């Protein structure tokens, strides 16, 4: 693949920039919270003097976050956090907007880490991550930059889990804000975003009818629940597999059948893994699957479906459609893998809708502001955003949606702390 490269960017094709600008305009028209933050801070530029290195899926929504960080005064460099999630038109548009952009769809492993390294050339003062690959790269290959870094942020569940493990091991050398743990992120992005975008990816890659199909979600956490909810809405018979008793119980009480993956493998038509765990669908599951079974993943890394074992079992394979490879087994059964087992919502579609990323990225913006204000006072480790921020973000969203809120009267406020009034 030929790319367009200068010292300050490497993208697939700069001539796609016009298309990228249209996509970003579309996203901006549906992200009122971020746009209100941009309007609020573009004059005072509180992030002036800061250099933010980002490693997060390069989508039309991420472009709105990047533009907002820049409008608030920051210098920004960026790489994609997954080899298959970069929208090349958006990357091209950002490369023309004085953003140090190193991202292109279909990167190999070398290109992926080369891109991360380039984003560090301007010696960032803050890092912004989705999956902790950037923070981990700084710790493993660029310790010399640590002194100049005030702190970082982390977008996703898997990344926060990884950073908490690093901190527990005493290996996390600077403060990181867990954006994923903000309610206006996880309870919207992970549920409604993942639910809609994962089905979007499955349908773009297969165009199968979901109604009547046995739809198996491995995991019934926020993401799995979102996928189950949306599949149910499309008329699928939803099945959940779990390792956590309370999650399995919730699935059952919400009308989702619960069984082991060994059992689900025999009857499933469409599978999606949402667990963040490795080897969730493996060889003996493929051996049980029906002819025509479709497997996909929406977890951050591509470790949940053991494709290497499927490749060993298959006697042949062929690419049926974009992001859809057919593996034929020795007895003639065919199994379809979507997006090479990578996150199907971003690799085969456009990720979550702008409306929900609006709140996730408002939290990212506020995390950068918090680091600029008090990062030096935050100790090493994983930190949370202040809870009141959630209500602030949700209120801006509601206002933009024209949805009214009731307000507690003084008497009600007094009542809420008056323990003397019983039945
Ligand atoms: N993620 C999903 N859709 C996205 C989009 N449209 N732009 C950027 C990132 C996007 C990933 C996030 O959901 C992140 O919150 C995660 O992985 O948890």
């Amino acid at each position: 693949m030929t790319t367009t490269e200068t010292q300050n960017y490497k993208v697939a094709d700069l001539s796609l920039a016009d298309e990228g600008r249209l996509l970003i305009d579309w996203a901006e028209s549906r992200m009122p919270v971020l746009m209100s933050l941009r309007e609020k801070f573009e004059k005072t530029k509180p992030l002036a003097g800061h250099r933010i290195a980002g490693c997060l899926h390069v989508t039309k929504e991420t472009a709105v976050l990047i533009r907002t960080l820049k409008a608030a005064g920051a210098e920004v460099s960026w790489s994609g956090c997954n080899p298959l999630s970069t929208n090349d038109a958006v990357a091209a548009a950002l490369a023309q907007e004085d953003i140090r952009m190193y991202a292109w769809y279909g990167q190999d492993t070398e290109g992926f880490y080369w891109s991360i390294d380039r984003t560090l050339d301007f010696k960032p003062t803050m890092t912004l991550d989705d999956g902790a690959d950037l923070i981990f790269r700084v710790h493993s290959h660029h310790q010399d930059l640590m002194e100049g870094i005030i702190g970082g942020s982390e977008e996703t569940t898997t990344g926060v889990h990884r950073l908490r493990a690093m901190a527990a091991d005493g290996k996390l050398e600077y403060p990181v804000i867990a954006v994923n743990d903000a309610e206006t992120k996880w309870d919207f992005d992970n549920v409604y975003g993942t639910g809609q975008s994962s089905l979007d990816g499955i349908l773009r890659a297969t165009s199968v009818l979901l109604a009547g199909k046995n739809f198996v979600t491995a995991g019934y956490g926020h993401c799995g629940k979102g996928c189950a909810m949306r599949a149910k809405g499309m008329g699928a018979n939803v099945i959940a597999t779990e390792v956590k008793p309370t999650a399995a119980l919730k699935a059952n009480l919400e009308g989702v059948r619960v069984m082991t993956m060994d059992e689900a493998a025999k009857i499933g038509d469409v599978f999606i893994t949402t667990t963040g765990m490795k080897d969730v669908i493996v060889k003996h599951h493929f051996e049980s699957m029906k002819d025509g079974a479709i497997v996909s993943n929406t977890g951050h890394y591509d470790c949940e479906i053991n494709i290497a074992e499927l490749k060993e079992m298959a006697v042949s394979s062929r690419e049926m459609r974009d992001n859809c490879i057919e593996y034929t087994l020795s007895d003639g059964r065919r199994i379809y893998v979507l997006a090479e087992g990578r996150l199907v919502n971003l690799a085969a579609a456009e990720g979550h809708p702008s409306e929900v990323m609006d709140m996730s990225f408002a939290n990212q913006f506020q995390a950068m502001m918090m680091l600029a204000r008090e990062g030096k006072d935050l100790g090493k480790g994983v930190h949370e955003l202040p809870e009141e921020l959630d209500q602030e973000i949700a209120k801006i969203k509601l206002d933009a949606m024209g949805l009214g809120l009731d307000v507690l009267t003084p008497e009600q406020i007094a009542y809420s702390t008056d323990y003397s009034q019983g039945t």
Side-chain angles (χ1 to χ4, degrees), residues 56-224:
L56 196 152
H57 309 288
V58 179
T59 66
K60 58 189 187 297
E61 290 77 19
T62 301
V64 181
L65 168 62
I66 292 172
R67 282 185 175 175
T68 304
L69 292 169
K70 189 160 175 286
E75 274 184 77
V76 182
S77 67
W78 214 269
S79 62
C81 66
N82 187 288
L84 296 182
S85 64
T86 291
N87 179 308
D88 287 329
V90 169
L94 291 170
Q96 288 189 342
E97 296 178 13
D98 194 20
I99 304 293
R100 297 160 183 256
M101 177 56 64
Y102 305 92
W104 58 94
Y105 187 93
Q107 274 177 324
D108 60 19
T109 304
E110 188 190 349
F112 178 79
Y113 286 102
W114 177 88
S115 298
I116 291 181
D117 290 341
R118 290 295 66 70
T119 64
L120 297 169
D121 288 345
F122 74 167
K123 298 188 183 343
T125 59
M126 300 194 256
T127 58
L128 191 156
D129 236 310
D130 185 334
D133 282 324
L134 170 59
I135 297 181
F136 195 77
R137 188 74 174 176
V138 170
H139 281 69
S140 57
H141 289 70
H142 300 275
Q143 289 91 347
D144 58 311
L145 295 177
M146 297 268 222
E147 198 184 337
I149 296 177
I150 298 171
S153 66
E154 172 51 52
E155 172 81 6
T156 197
T157 313
T158 301
V160 171
H161 183 80
R162 191 177 177 190
L163 290 165
R164 289 201 195 287
M166 266 178 85
D169 213 16
K171 296 287 190 296
L172 185 56
E173 292 300 325
Y174 59 73
V176 181
I177 296 175
V179 167
N180 182 71
D181 294 358
E183 185 186 357
T184 43
K185 192 276 175 182
W186 65 263
D187 213 3
F188 297 85
D189 172 317
N190 299 15
V191 180
Y192 306 98
T194 307
Q196 175 165 324
S197 65
S198 300
L199 263 65
D200 187 4
I202 290 170
L203 292 173
R204 291 195 199 199
T206 65
S207 93
V208 293
L209 176 72
L210 283 183
K213 292 275 194 322
N214 287 338
F215 182 96
V216 181
T217 171
Y220 200 77
H222 304 124
C223 296

Side-chain angles (χ1 to χ4, degrees), residues 408-421:
L408 287 176
T409 64
E411 292 74 20
Q412 287 174 318
I413 293 170
Y415 172 77
S416 68
T417 53
D418 177 0
Y419 55 83
S420 66
Q421 297 197 34

Side-chain angles (χ1 to χ4, degrees), residues 204-416:
R204 291 195 199 199
T206 65
S207 93
V208 293
L209 176 72
L210 283 183
K213 292 275 194 322
N214 287 338
F215 182 96
V216 181
T217 171
Y220 200 77
H222 304 124
C223 296
K225 177 176 179 176
C227 293
M229 200 193 299
R230 295 304 169 232
K232 212 187 281 182
M234 300 280 285
N237 307 308
V238 185
I239 295 163
T241 69
E242 254 294 348
V243 293
K244 189 176 175 189
T246 50
L249 205 48
K250 263 186 220 162
N252 173 265
L253 297 183
E254 287 167 3
V256 172
R257 278 191 287 167
V258 173
M259 60 183 77
T260 64
M261 183 54 81
D262 286 2
E263 294 162 318
K266 296 171 188 151
I267 60 173
D269 298 301
V270 180
F271 296 80
I272 190 160
T273 56
T274 73
T275 69
M277 184 46 71
K278 73 173 195 170
D279 290 343
V280 177
I281 296 181
V282 295
K283 181 176 181 188
H284 70 272
H285 297 129
F286 296 128
E287 285 165 349
S288 313
M289 285 181 182
K290 298 192 290 192
D291 178 34
I294 295 165
V295 295
S296 65
N297 164 58
T298 200
H300 186 79
Y301 300 124
D302 64 341
C303 59
E304 306 202 26
I305 301 166
N306 194 317
I307 296 175
E309 290 185 342
L310 178 58
K311 283 179 177 173
E312 273 169 32
M313 295 163 68
V315 294
S316 66
S317 66
R318 56 179 177 159
E319 184 170 16
M320 302 300 285
R321 314 164 40 107
D322 283 353
N323 290 301
C324 178
I325 294 185
E326 175 190 74
Y327 291 92
T328 302
L329 306 184
S330 55
D331 62 3
R333 278 177 300 129
R334 292 153 297 181
I335 292 174
Y336 298 92
V337 175
L338 306 188
E340 302 170 26
R342 290 195 179 279
L343 15 68
V344 69
N345 60 336
L346 284 147
E350 299 174 45
H352 304 350
S354 308
E355 292 88 339
V356 75
M357 294 313 298
D358 187 20
M359 293 200 287
S360 301
F361 288 163
N363 282 293
Q364 278 289 3
F365 180 85
Q366 294 290 13
M368 296 291 111
M369 293 283 281
M370 182 171 157
L371 288 171
R373 274 195 317 272
E374 54 194 275
K376 289 188 170 48
D377 306 327
L378 294 174
K380 294 175 184 176
V382 180
H383 299 267
E384 306 294 326
L385 282 162
E387 249 182 73
E388 54 271 17
L389 199 57
D390 275 318
Q391 302 313 324
E392 210 179 293
I393 287 173
K395 180 70 172 60
I396 299 171
K397 194 73 173 173
L398 282 168
D399 291 346
M401 296 161 80
L403 301 176
L405 266 185
D406 285 332
V407 180
L408 287 176
T409 64
E411 292 74 20
Q412 287 174 318
I413 293 170
Y415 172 77
S416 68

